[in-house]
């Protein structure tokens, strides 16, 4: 694996009942210390509860699909090409409102929240190079 060029098969998957995350750039993967970046795939009709990242700003860029994004007291429909900025400590949540997976690029600055997600009891880690199974991903 190169620290400069990565494919999804090069990194582990964080699997939840609502979807899968692949952190393509973290201090452990690329050595970059200023941010982390990964792909979030939310299943149709699924999402995750409102939460905060106390020490990191977050950017979400919609690659494919559509959804509903909450940031603080504001809720908006999001679709491919939209970007969302979530300042550190601000409550936010995302729900896929479409029939296909909602694919997002997520960036944390500084890195850290991706490690917190991995430690959650509802997270299943699937090793790099292995596909998440239907059971591990909570079904479709």
């Amino acid at each position: 694996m190169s620290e400069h060029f990565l494919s999804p098969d090069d990194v582990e998957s964080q699997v939840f009942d609502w979807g899968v995350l692949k952190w393509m750039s973290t201090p452990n993967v690329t050595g970059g210390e200023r941010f982390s970046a990964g792909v979030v795939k939310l299943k149709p009709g699924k999402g995750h509860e409102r939460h905060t990242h106390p020490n990191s700003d977050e950017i979400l860029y919609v690659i494919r699909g559509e959804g509903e994004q909450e940031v603080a007291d504001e809720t908006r429909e999001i679709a491919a090409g939209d970007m969302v900025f979530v300042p550190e400590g601000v409550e936010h949540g995302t729900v896929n409102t479409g029939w296909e997976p909602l694919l997002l690029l997520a960036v944390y600055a500084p890195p850290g929240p991706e490690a917190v997600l991995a430690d959650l009891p509802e997270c299943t880690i699937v090793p790099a190079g292995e596909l998440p199974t239907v059971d591990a991903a909570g079904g479709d």
Side-chain angles (χ1 to χ4, degrees):
M1 176 175 70
S2 165
E3 66 187 31
H4 301 288
F5 299 94
L6 294 129
S7 76
D9 286 341
D10 294 331
V11 298
E12 68 186 19
S13 300
Q14 292 178 346
V15 181
F16 294 86
D17 65 351
W18 46 263
V20 178
L21 298 98
K22 284 200 159 276
W23 295 102
M24 305 290 287
S25 180
T26 66
N28 291 340
V29 173
T30 60
E33 299 285 337
R34 295 183 188 190
F35 67 90
S36 58
V39 178
V40 180
K41 187 185 230 179
L42 289 174
K43 296 177 185 178
K46 300 284 188 173
H48 49 83
E49 294 183 11
R50 287 174 62 95
H51 60 284
T52 64
H53 306 293
N55 301 308
S56 296
D57 290 336
E58 180 175 13
I59 289 174
L60 296 169
Y61 179 79
V62 183
I63 300 168
R64 183 176 66 228
E66 54 192 36
E68 186 175 89
Q69 181 68 50
E70 294 178 89
V71 180
D73 60 354
E74 189 175 3
T75 302
R76 293 247 181 120
E77 295 296 316
I78 57 172
D82 291 343
M83 191 190 86
V84 179
F85 172 68
V86 183
E88 66 180 3
V90 173
E91 272 198 335
H92 59 286
T94 312
V95 176
N96 180 348
T97 58
W99 66 272
E100 68 178 352
L102 175 60
L103 200 59
L104 307 165
L105 171 67
V107 178
Y108 295 128
E114 69 284 349
V116 172
L117 286 164
D119 289 339
L120 293 174
E122 60 269 27
C123 180
T124 301
I125 302 295
V126 176
E130 293 184 22
L131 288 175
T133 64
V134 172
D135 291 338
D140 285 323

